[in-house]
Amino acid sequence: RSHGMNSDAHTNRDDPQQVTLAASDRSWLPYWFPGVLILAGVVLVAAGFRYGMDLWLTPDQQGRLHFARGEFSEAAATFRKPMWQGAALYRDGEFEKAAQAFTRHDTDQGQFNQGNSWLMHGDYKQAIVCYDQALEKRPGWKEAEENKQLAIARAAMVSWS
């Protein structure tokens, strides 16, 4: 009897040296299944990293990736935390929207960032109010005092025009 490959795989099932893979033989499944999962993941990521991000990252983590890439508009739309959302809007030049985002974070830093946003937007009176509120929460804050003086000077320049 020959130990080579038999063209009729079903007739030689008892031969241990006969290599067959019948359709009903599922012993190969545990070896291929992890590979199929990995391939599916690669395809998902290759099809668009955004879809992969949705599966594995929180909205704020996704926002930080957009922010790091300089995609500030996308970051602002993705962030849930108001300070990050405001920072993205500020970097995107959306100063009024940034100020509104910072209002949802009622801290000295939130008030300071609001003041900066209003200052950049050209609403100097509102900026001064925000810097005053920041200074109430953190007296002697050098940066807030300096920015308040800048807002006062710009407000005075606008009123002279």
Side-chain angles (χ1 to χ4, degrees):
R1 179 171 178 172
S2 168
H3 292 289
M5 294 289 292
N6 188 338
S7 62
D8 186 5
H10 295 290
T11 59
N12 240 351
R13 281 198 136 164
D14 296 332
D15 186 350
Q17 294 190 9
Q18 177 66 41
V19 178
T20 62
L21 183 59
S24 63
D25 183 10
R26 304 261 196 272
S27 63
W28 56 273
L29 188 60
Y31 301 106
W32 286 81
F33 189 69
V36 169
L37 285 179
I38 291 171
L39 181 61
V42 168
V43 168
L44 232 180
V45 171
F49 186 65
R50 182 170 190 83
Y51 300 114
M53 287 194 325
D54 289 344
L55 290 175
W56 306 109
L57 301 176
T58 68
D60 286 323
Q61 290 170 329
Q62 293 174 39
R64 284 186 179 188
L65 287 174
H66 288 301
F67 194 92
R69 291 186 200 130
E71 301 166 350
F72 302 118
S73 179
E74 293 86 353
T78 307
F79 278 124
R80 298 294 173 256
K81 291 184 178 176
M83 289 295 279
W84 277 104
Q85 187 179 45
L89 288 164
Y90 186 93
R91 293 275 179 100
D92 199 35
E94 296 285 344
F95 302 117
E96 187 174 5
K97 290 179 181 177
Q100 292 167 356
F102 291 131
T103 62
R104 298 189 342 250
H105 192 78
D106 190 26
T107 64
D108 57 345
Q109 188 68 48
Q111 296 294 333
F112 177 77
N113 289 346
Q114 251 187 303
N116 290 342
S117 298
W118 289 123
L119 181 67
M120 293 301 293
H121 184 64
D123 190 338
Y124 305 120
K125 290 181 182 180
Q126 188 62 39
I128 294 166
V129 169
C130 291
Y131 292 131
D132 281 338
Q133 291 171 346
L135 287 165
E136 284 176 22
K137 293 178 183 193
R138 192 194 312 180
W141 189 4
K142 181 182 173 192
E143 290 84 359
E145 289 175 358
E146 289 172 353
N147 288 7
K148 177 183 173 183
Q149 292 307 311
L150 179 61
I152 291 170
R154 285 190 180 178
M157 288 176 60
V158 170
S159 68
W160 289 339
S161 310

